[in-house]
């Protein structure tokens, strides 16, 4: 599908080129952690790697595409509460999983997505320490690209019973309400990964089946989800609010409040409904 205004394949090529360059910057910083200049901000730590990758991405995207038709919503430069006026908005997380980057788990990722009227059409998720990039174009499937340039299509498939499903979660970041929810859902196992991008890749690579986000005092942001959503849904998975509604991006408030479920599973809708019912019971107790 080529959009009447822009060639999505060409935009995807640009995002991949920029993504590989940014991944090289992140990997270089990861190998030499002597000078990360860590700053603690409200939503978590920021390092020189976040800032260097962010600068590279924005400099290269704006040089290639300009700012007349495209907005650029990045975790490191976001301010204010107004949506970008452009229909086309790039949503960028130059380093998803900064805490894991600092702790040297290797479980960090790079997210770049292009949205059109609040929905993603092009996306990449890069896993620098695996030297692998996942990319997708709306209605054209999801692909895995190696550092050697080999490109292979990737699809999810699950015929597991509920009790055999594996939930992918962080090792930390769970308040009591979220912990209660995931303990009451019928998962057989858990797989632990740091970044959101890494969690969705775990579903793509059939190491996990379901990912859940539940806001508490804070919430995941647009840049956490825009790119991972598209690579999962283009691989045949599903990604929605618990009530089944699609996510919307560039709404002004970058927080994605409420419950969100991503899965490779045919019973996605039932898992969403179960989650809603369990939460209602938790909130009434």
């Amino acid at each position: 599908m080529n959009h009447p205004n822009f060639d999505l394949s060409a935009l995807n090529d640009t995002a991949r080129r920029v993504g590989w360059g940014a991944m090289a910057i992140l990997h270089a910083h990861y190998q030499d952690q002597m000078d990360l200049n860590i700053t603690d901000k409200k939503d978590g730590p920021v390092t020189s790697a976040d800032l260097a990758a962010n600068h590279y991405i924005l400099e290269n995207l704006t040089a290639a595409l300009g700012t007349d038709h495209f907005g650029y919503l990045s975790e490191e430069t976001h301010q204010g509460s107004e949506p970008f006026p452009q229909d086309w908005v790039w949503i960028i997380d130059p380093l998803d999983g900064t805490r894991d980057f600092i702790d040297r788990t290797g479980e960090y990722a790079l997210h770049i997505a292009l949205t059109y009227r609040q929905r993603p059409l092009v996306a990449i998720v890069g896993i620098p320490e695996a030297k692998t990039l996942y990319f997708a174009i709306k209605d054209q499937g999801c692909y895995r690209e190696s550092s050697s340039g080999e490109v292979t299509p990737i699809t999810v498939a699950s015929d597991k019973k509920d009790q055999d499903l594996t939930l992918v979660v962080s090792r930390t970041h769970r308040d009591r309400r979220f912990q209660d929810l995931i303990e009451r859902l019928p998962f057989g196992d858990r797989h632990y990964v740091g970044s959101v991008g890494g969690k969705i890749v775990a579903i793509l690579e059939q190491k996990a089946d379901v990912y859940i986000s539940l806001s508490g005092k804070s919430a995941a942001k647009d840049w956490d989800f825009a790119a991972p959503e598209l690579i999962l849904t283009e691989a045949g998975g599903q990604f929605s609010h618990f009530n089944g509604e699609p996510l919307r991006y560039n709404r002004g408030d970058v927080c994605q409040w409420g419950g969100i479920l991503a899965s490779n599973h045919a019973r996605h809708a039932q898992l969403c409904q179960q989650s809603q019912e369990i939460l209602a019971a938790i909130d009434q107790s």
Side-chain angles (χ1 to χ4, degrees), residues 1 53 76 78 104 158 174 207 217-218 236 239 253 261:
M1 178 185 81
E76 305 309 332
H78 168 70
R104 299 188 63 78
S158 178
R174 290 192 295 278
K207 297 175 182 176
K217 293 181 180 178
S218 62
F239 202 120
D253 180 3
L261 193 142

Side-chain angles (χ1 to χ4, degrees), residues 220-278:
K221 309 297 191 296
D222 281 5
W223 45 78
D224 294 312
F225 289 156
E229 177 192 344
L230 190 65
I231 65 165
L232 179 62
T233 55
E234 283 300 308
Q238 299 187 60
F239 202 120
S240 72
H241 289 280
F242 283 174
N243 63 6
E245 291 183 1
L247 280 69
R248 299 286 175 184
Y249 303 99
N250 185 41
R251 298 162 299 120
D253 180 3
V254 297
C255 292
Q256 293 286 346
W257 298 103
I260 292 163
L261 193 142
S263 80
N264 63 1
H265 210 246
R267 292 188 291 281
H268 179 92
Q270 290 94 318
L271 288 169
C272 285
Q273 185 177 348
Q274 277 183 282
S275 298
Q276 284 186 299
E277 292 169 355
I278 291 167

Side-chain angles (χ1 to χ4, degrees), residues 140-185:
Q140 295 187 31
C142 177
Y143 297 85
R144 180 202 299 114
E145 182 175 21
S146 69
S147 56
S148 64
E150 181 181 4
V151 173
T152 53
I154 188 165
T155 57
V156 298
S158 178
D159 55 1
K160 296 179 182 178
K161 297 179 180 179
D162 285 359
Q163 63 269 24
D164 296 326
L165 297 179
T166 296
L167 176 71
V168 61
V169 291
S170 299
R171 293 173 181 83
T172 56
H173 306 306
R174 290 192 295 278
D175 62 19
R176 186 68 250 171
R177 186 167 174 258
F178 185 33
Q179 189 66 33
D180 285 349
L181 170 64
I182 62 177
E183 286 176 357
R184 297 189 198 189
L185 283 164

Side-chain angles (χ1 to χ4, degrees), residues 6 22 31 40 57 65 69 82 90 93 120 152 155 165 168 174 176 181 210 214 221 232 238 283:
F6 294 103
Q31 294 303 307
D40 286 314
I57 293 166
L65 303 170
H69 300 291
E82 293 299 316
W90 291 93
D93 192 342
T152 53
T155 57
L165 297 179
V168 61
R174 290 192 295 278
R176 186 68 250 171
L181 170 64
V210 180
L214 182 65
K221 309 297 191 296
L232 179 62
Q238 299 187 60
D283 292 341

